[in-house]
Amino acid sequence: MDTKLLELLVCPVTKGPLNFDRERQELLSRSARLAYPVRNGIPILLENEARTLSDDEVDKLAALRPPL
């Protein structure tokens, strides 16, 4: 995912920042506890397409980025 594009994208639910999980091809929103899929390089930023993050995933995300 292009770094400049990632800087522009925000969570559609909370308007907070997103982290890119390269392995799973997902954009992660810590504040909304959602993972948005990236399909063929295109972020699908629809709440009904996102999956809910587990507590462990949110904890790992917290370690990457300081609390909001």
Side-chain angles (χ1 to χ4, degrees), residues 12-62:
V13 175
T14 65
K15 309 302 184 244
L18 296 168
N19 288 89
F20 182 57
D21 182 341
R22 188 175 314 273
E23 184 178 308
R24 294 189 76 159
Q25 291 294 298
E26 293 178 324
L27 290 170
L28 308 174
S29 172
R30 178 176 159 209
S31 54
R33 299 178 63 95
L34 293 172
Y36 299 96
V38 177
R39 297 185 189 128
N40 299 319
I42 300 170
I44 311 298
L45 297 175
L46 300 171
E47 188 176 2
N48 64 339
E49 291 283 331
R51 70 174 180 85
T52 304
L53 294 173
S54 69
D55 290 338
D56 289 340
E57 289 173 309
V58 172
D59 291 344
K60 288 178 187 176
L61 220 88

